[in-house]
Amino acid sequence: MPRKNEPTERTCAVTREVLPVTDLLRFVMAPDKTVVVDVKGTLPGRGVWVSAKKSVLQEAIKRRAFSRGFKEQVNAEDGLADHTDKLLEQAALGALSMSRKAGNLHVGFSKVEAALKKESVLALVHATEASEDGVRKLAALAASRFGKVDRLSVIRLFTSEQMSTHLDRDNVIHAVLLAGEAGRNFVKHAQRLAQFREVSVVADDDGTKGAVAQD
């Protein structure tokens, strides 16, 4: 996000497209001349902006776009793309935890079912190893109330172990995000992670796909 009084658009150092900063990632140079991703947009210093896609970041490293952007030789390590993915993932999981603490998240198949029948719902969250049958049943219930299932975000970016750890619950497979600031914040982080991994957070017609983590 842009800091106060800063432009809301920047140019990607690789594609040269002018994009909203929400579709870009900012990178800064550490004192040891290592390139560091500024996930929160708060690090000091000159920034180089790259489209928020893993493939574009990998191209930036390959083309030495950061040295050109900073106008001096810098070290953009080969693991920068994977490290960026991990930081975006951690931010999303942290936001998922906060949504539970704020009361914007219900966990468990039966509670998800109940919420889909009467609550104001933002998104369905399924573990990557969730059964297609369970996902399909919840998608059908969502479609029966909200119409086309793609009106809801369907997020499948995290393993059951990751979700369970951050929600302090055992064997979390299905969850539902409710309307509220914390829920919206998680969806924003999840969409940013999905954008980086170049997957969608909109379900297929049967509701079984959504955003699925990719190696």
Side-chain angles (χ1 to χ4, degrees):
M1 294 296 292
R3 287 173 285 187
K4 190 175 181 180
N5 299 323
E6 284 195 348
T8 57
E9 294 182 329
R10 293 286 188 176
T11 301
C12 172
V14 178
T15 67
R16 308 311 300 171
E17 291 179 280
V18 177
L19 298 168
V21 294
T22 51
D23 291 337
L24 296 158
L25 287 168
R26 181 175 183 264
F27 294 83
V28 299
M29 182 175 60
D32 64 356
K33 298 189 184 300
T34 297
V35 176
V36 178
V37 62
D38 182 17
V39 170
K40 295 182 179 180
T42 57
L43 295 178
R46 176 187 176 90
V48 171
W49 297 78
V50 175
S51 297
K53 296 180 179 180
K54 193 171 187 176
S55 62
V56 180
L57 176 53
Q58 290 170 328
E59 191 67 19
I61 297 168
K62 180 180 178 181
R63 293 190 191 180
R64 303 183 183 276
F66 291 111
S67 291
R68 292 198 303 274
F70 289 117
K71 302 185 186 308
E72 60 180 294
Q73 190 63 39
V74 296
N75 180 22
E77 298 178 350
D78 290 339
L80 180 60
D82 289 336
H83 180 63
T84 299
D85 183 283
K86 180 59 66 177
L87 291 179
L88 292 172
E89 183 180 75
Q90 290 173 350
L93 285 166
L96 182 68
S97 176
M98 290 302 297
S99 67
R100 181 190 66 80
K101 293 175 182 177
N104 288 162
L105 183 79
H106 291 325
V107 174
F109 192 93
S110 60
K111 290 186 177 181
V112 174
E113 275 189 314
L116 285 172
K117 292 176 181 177
K118 62 182 181 180
E119 301 279 2
S120 179
V121 174
L122 292 176
L124 290 167
V125 186
H126 307 295
T128 53
E129 62 265 54
S131 72
E132 301 305 322
D133 183 58
V135 172
R136 191 176 291 109
K137 287 178 179 177
L138 292 175
L141 182 58
S144 69
R145 180 180 174 200
F146 299 107
K148 291 183 64 177
V149 72
D150 63 6
R151 290 183 60 187
L152 296 178
S153 294
V154 179
I155 297 164
R156 298 183 73 179
L157 293 165
F158 316 110
T159 66
S160 175
E161 182 180 3
Q162 288 176 311
M163 293 170 64
S164 299
T165 298
H166 284 79
L167 296 176
D168 197 24
R169 297 282 298 274
D170 293 330
N171 195 34
V172 176
I173 300 296
H174 304 286
V176 63
L177 263 294
L178 307 180
E181 184 60 31
R184 287 191 293 271
N185 187 51
F186 166 70
V187 171
K188 179 186 71 174
H189 281 287
Q191 289 174 333
R192 190 158 176 76
L193 176 59
Q195 179 183 19
F196 185 72
R197 292 178 175 176
E198 299 179 65
V199 294
S200 173
V201 292
V202 176
D204 284 353
D205 290 342
D206 65 355
T208 59
K209 298 302 180 184
V212 181
Q214 296 182 343
D215 295 331

